[in-house]
Amino acid sequence: MTFKNLFSSCVLLSLIILIPVANAETVKKSKSGICHESTSPHYERTKNFTSFDSLSSCIGAGGRLPKGSSSTSVSKQKSSSYSRKMFGHGWADSNKDCQNSRMETLITYSLSPVRFKTEKKCMVVSGKWISPFSGETIYAASEIDIDHVVPLKWAWIHGANYWTKAKRVKFANDPANLLSVEARLNRQKVAKGLNAWLPPANQCQYISRFIRVYKTYNLELSNKEQVSYDKIRQQYCS
């Protein structure tokens, strides 16, 4: 290769490196702070930008959606990136007494002294619980799920994805957000918010607790959700 050809190749390579690369997955954050996906009409016209690999990460870095855009795609990306491990690996034992958050919740809500599996008193096997979801009495711990009043996935979509790992672990094990309920109804609820699922009994108490928890942690509702939640609260707690 001649010196001239080598020089030309180096110049071309330098130009390639300096050109902002934006493939179909790249989200562009403009100098004015607007996040543009590849489907945005302003995507190709945005030449000076910071690249992000998702719309949610762009917004998390202080960006905002174009005027008139829907946040649906943001919610979808948040939902797809959620996993339980983001809130810790299972139930935490913060005070290291061998009773994790599940066991402590079972002990707290049992109406009679609980029975443990061994003398170490780490695992609860029986007690007497009245489910706030149905009013039914349950005696076997194996038939109980510990419900997150505000579900972890719901919280992730509504702002917990921006929290520190420590705050998410605290949230997942916060007694204010935990209830002892029958497994059947907890698994029916899954990660639904107030506008998608309510328990068969004690709806007002459940609604009030849900709202108190999400406000305590500064989780955010969309305008549409806020209107819906206000109507639900008025309907069941008037």
Side-chain angles (χ1 to χ4, degrees):
M1 181 180 292
T2 67
F3 176 78
K4 183 178 180 181
N5 289 337
L6 179 61
F7 178 78
S8 299
S9 298
C10 289
V11 171
L12 179 59
L13 180 60
S14 298
L15 290 173
I16 292 172
I17 292 173
L18 290 172
I19 294 173
V21 177
N23 57 36
E25 300 302 319
T26 297
V27 173
K28 297 179 178 181
K29 180 184 174 187
S30 67
K31 284 190 172 183
S32 59
I34 300 175
C35 299
H36 294 287
E37 293 183 283
S38 58
T39 54
S40 168
H42 301 284
Y43 188 82
E44 294 300 331
R45 282 181 277 172
T46 303
K47 302 301 182 182
N48 296 313
F49 59 88
T50 303
S51 299
F52 292 89
D53 59 5
S54 69
L55 190 58
S56 58
S57 60
C58 180
I59 292 174
R64 65 184 189 278
L65 292 171
K67 188 175 181 180
S69 296
S70 169
S71 61
T72 302
S73 58
V74 179
S75 294
K76 286 181 178 178
Q77 287 190 44
K78 288 181 182 178
S79 179
S80 64
S81 63
Y82 164 81
S83 71
R84 175 61 176 82
K85 67 181 180 181
M86 301 295 187
F87 291 80
H89 295 281
W91 299 108
D93 179 12
S94 56
N95 57 8
K96 307 300 180 184
D97 65 350
C98 91
Q99 294 172 358
N100 62 26
S101 297
R102 171 180 167 81
M103 298 306 150
E104 289 177 347
T105 304
L106 290 172
I107 294 168
T108 298
Y109 285 102
S110 179
L111 299 179
S112 65
V114 299
R115 185 169 66 86
F116 295 96
K117 186 175 182 178
T118 68
E119 291 183 358
K120 288 185 176 181
K121 297 185 177 181
C122 296
M123 182 175 292
V124 176
V125 294
S126 65
K128 182 181 179 181
W129 298 275
I130 296 178
S131 168
F133 281 4
S134 65
E136 294 182 6
T137 303
I138 305 167
Y139 295 95
S142 60
E143 296 176 7
I144 286 181
D145 274 3
I146 303 302
D147 172 63
H148 287 102
V149 179
V150 175
L152 303 186
K153 187 174 182 178
W154 188 96
W156 175 266
I157 294 171
H158 291 79
N161 60 314
Y162 300 134
W163 294 351
T164 63
K165 180 70 171 292
K167 184 175 180 179
R168 289 196 291 265
V169 171
K170 178 184 177 183
F171 177 82
N173 296 275
D174 187 341
N177 195 34
L178 304 178
L179 292 174
S180 298
V181 302
E182 56 268 83
R184 172 180 58 86
L185 289 178
N186 186 53
R187 294 168 195 181
Q188 181 188 96
K189 169 186 171 179
V190 197
K192 298 182 179 75
L194 297 181
N195 54 351
W197 189 88
L198 290 174
N202 302 312
Q203 290 95 344
C204 180
Q205 292 91 329
Y206 176 78
I207 292 166
S208 298
R209 189 158 180 168
F210 190 109
I211 292 173
R212 185 168 67 251
V213 171
Y214 92 70
K215 285 187 175 181
T216 297
Y217 281 87
N218 296 315
L219 295 167
E220 296 184 0
L221 300 177
S222 67
N223 291 336
K224 185 177 180 180
E225 284 176 318
Q226 187 64 66
V227 171
S228 175
Y229 279 36
D230 288 345
K231 288 182 179 178
I232 290 168
R233 188 174 192 177
Q234 184 176 15
Q235 178 182 351
Y236 289 93
C237 299
S238 59

Short mmCIF file of all heavy atoms in Angstrom, two decimals, residues 37 55-57 59 65 70-81 157 161-162:
data_model
loop_
_atom_site.label_atom_id
_atom_site.label_comp_id
_atom_site.label_asym_id
_atom_site.label_seq_id
_atom_site.Cartn_x
_atom_site.Cartn_y
_atom_site.Cartn_z
N GLU A 37 -37.19 7.73 19.23
CA GLU A 37 -37.02 6.36 18.75
C GLU A 37 -36.88 6.40 17.23
O GLU A 37 -37.12 7.44 16.59
CB GLU A 37 -38.23 5.51 19.13
CG GLU A 37 -38.39 5.28 20.62
CD GLU A 37 -39.56 4.37 20.92
OE1 GLU A 37 -40.70 4.86 20.86
OE2 GLU A 37 -39.34 3.19 21.20
N LEU A 55 -35.66 3.45 25.22
CA LEU A 55 -36.38 4.69 25.51
C LEU A 55 -36.42 4.96 27.01
O LEU A 55 -36.26 6.10 27.46
CB LEU A 55 -37.80 4.61 24.95
CG LEU A 55 -38.63 5.89 24.93
CD1 LEU A 55 -37.93 6.98 24.14
CD2 LEU A 55 -40.00 5.62 24.35
N SER A 56 -36.60 3.90 27.80
CA SER A 56 -36.67 4.08 29.25
C SER A 56 -35.35 4.57 29.81
O SER A 56 -35.32 5.39 30.73
CB SER A 56 -37.09 2.78 29.93
OG SER A 56 -36.19 1.74 29.63
N SER A 57 -34.21 4.09 29.27
CA SER A 57 -32.92 4.56 29.77
C SER A 57 -32.67 6.01 29.38
O SER A 57 -32.05 6.77 30.11
CB SER A 57 -31.78 3.67 29.25
OG SER A 57 -31.71 3.68 27.84
N ILE A 59 -35.07 8.31 29.06
CA ILE A 59 -35.91 9.09 29.96
C ILE A 59 -35.32 9.09 31.37
O ILE A 59 -35.35 10.09 32.08
CB ILE A 59 -37.35 8.54 29.97
CG1 ILE A 59 -37.99 8.81 28.59
CG2 ILE A 59 -38.19 9.15 31.08
CD1 ILE A 59 -39.34 8.19 28.42
N LEU A 65 -40.31 12.55 26.38
CA LEU A 65 -40.92 12.13 25.13
C LEU A 65 -41.27 13.34 24.26
O LEU A 65 -41.53 14.42 24.79
CB LEU A 65 -42.20 11.33 25.40
CG LEU A 65 -42.04 9.96 26.06
CD1 LEU A 65 -43.40 9.43 26.47
CD2 LEU A 65 -41.35 8.99 25.13
N SER A 70 -47.06 8.92 23.24
CA SER A 70 -47.57 8.06 24.31
C SER A 70 -46.42 7.42 25.04
O SER A 70 -45.37 7.15 24.47
CB SER A 70 -48.48 6.98 23.71
OG SER A 70 -48.78 6.00 24.67
N SER A 71 -46.61 7.16 26.32
CA SER A 71 -45.58 6.48 27.12
C SER A 71 -45.76 4.97 27.10
O SER A 71 -45.12 4.26 27.86
CB SER A 71 -45.63 6.98 28.56
OG SER A 71 -46.88 6.69 29.15
N THR A 72 -46.63 4.45 26.21
CA THR A 72 -46.89 3.01 26.16
C THR A 72 -45.64 2.22 25.89
O THR A 72 -45.38 1.20 26.52
CB THR A 72 -47.94 2.70 25.06
OG1 THR A 72 -49.13 3.42 25.34
CG2 THR A 72 -48.24 1.22 25.01
N SER A 73 -44.84 2.69 24.93
CA SER A 73 -43.62 1.95 24.59
C SER A 73 -42.64 1.95 25.74
O SER A 73 -41.89 1.00 25.93
CB SER A 73 -42.97 2.56 23.34
OG SER A 73 -42.67 3.92 23.54
N VAL A 74 -42.64 3.03 26.54
CA VAL A 74 -41.77 3.07 27.71
C VAL A 74 -42.19 1.99 28.70
O VAL A 74 -41.36 1.25 29.23
CB VAL A 74 -41.83 4.44 28.41
CG1 VAL A 74 -40.95 4.46 29.64
CG2 VAL A 74 -41.41 5.54 27.44
N SER A 75 -43.50 1.87 28.93
CA SER A 75 -43.99 0.87 29.86
C SER A 75 -43.68 -0.54 29.37
O SER A 75 -43.32 -1.41 30.15
CB SER A 75 -45.52 1.01 30.03
OG SER A 75 -45.81 2.23 30.66
N LYS A 76 -43.77 -0.76 28.06
CA LYS A 76 -43.47 -2.07 27.51
C LYS A 76 -42.01 -2.42 27.72
O LYS A 76 -41.66 -3.55 28.06
CB LYS A 76 -43.82 -2.11 26.02
CG LYS A 76 -45.32 -2.18 25.73
CD LYS A 76 -45.59 -2.24 24.25
CE LYS A 76 -47.09 -2.35 23.97
NZ LYS A 76 -47.36 -2.36 22.50
N GLN A 77 -41.13 -1.44 27.51
CA GLN A 77 -39.70 -1.70 27.70
C GLN A 77 -39.40 -1.95 29.17
O GLN A 77 -38.63 -2.84 29.51
CB GLN A 77 -38.88 -0.51 27.18
CG GLN A 77 -38.86 -0.44 25.67
CD GLN A 77 -37.85 0.58 25.18
OE1 GLN A 77 -36.74 0.64 25.68
NE2 GLN A 77 -38.23 1.37 24.20
N LYS A 78 -40.02 -1.18 30.06
CA LYS A 78 -39.81 -1.39 31.49
C LYS A 78 -40.28 -2.78 31.89
O LYS A 78 -39.62 -3.49 32.65
CB LYS A 78 -40.57 -0.34 32.30
CG LYS A 78 -39.98 1.06 32.24
CD LYS A 78 -40.82 1.98 33.10
CE LYS A 78 -40.31 3.41 33.05
NZ LYS A 78 -41.15 4.32 33.84
N SER A 79 -41.46 -3.17 31.36
CA SER A 79 -42.02 -4.47 31.70
C SER A 79 -41.12 -5.60 31.23
O SER A 79 -40.88 -6.57 31.95
CB SER A 79 -43.41 -4.60 31.06
OG SER A 79 -43.96 -5.86 31.34
N SER A 80 -40.59 -5.47 30.02
CA SER A 80 -39.76 -6.54 29.46
C SER A 80 -38.42 -6.64 30.16
O SER A 80 -37.79 -7.69 30.16
CB SER A 80 -39.56 -6.31 27.96
OG SER A 80 -38.83 -5.11 27.73
N SER A 81 -37.95 -5.55 30.79
CA SER A 81 -36.66 -5.57 31.46
C SER A 81 -36.77 -5.97 32.93
O SER A 81 -35.76 -6.13 33.61
CB SER A 81 -35.98 -4.21 31.35
OG SER A 81 -36.74 -3.21 32.00
N ILE A 157 -42.47 -0.76 36.79
CA ILE A 157 -42.99 0.00 35.65
C ILE A 157 -43.31 1.44 36.03
O ILE A 157 -43.22 2.35 35.20
CB ILE A 157 -44.24 -0.70 35.08
CG1 ILE A 157 -43.86 -2.06 34.47
CG2 ILE A 157 -44.95 0.17 34.04
CD1 ILE A 157 -45.04 -2.92 34.09
N ASN A 161 -37.74 1.18 38.64
CA ASN A 161 -36.59 0.84 37.78
C ASN A 161 -35.47 1.88 37.91
O ASN A 161 -34.33 1.62 37.55
CB ASN A 161 -37.04 0.73 36.32
CG ASN A 161 -37.65 2.00 35.79
OD1 ASN A 161 -38.50 2.61 36.45
ND2 ASN A 161 -37.27 2.41 34.61
N TYR A 162 -35.79 3.05 38.47
CA TYR A 162 -34.77 4.09 38.67
C TYR A 162 -34.18 4.06 40.08
O TYR A 162 -33.28 4.83 40.39
CB TYR A 162 -35.38 5.48 38.41
CG TYR A 162 -35.91 5.66 37.01
CD1 TYR A 162 -37.16 6.25 36.80
CD2 TYR A 162 -35.19 5.23 35.90
CE1 TYR A 162 -37.66 6.42 35.51
CE2 TYR A 162 -35.69 5.39 34.63
CZ TYR A 162 -36.92 5.99 34.43
OH TYR A 162 -37.41 6.15 33.17
#
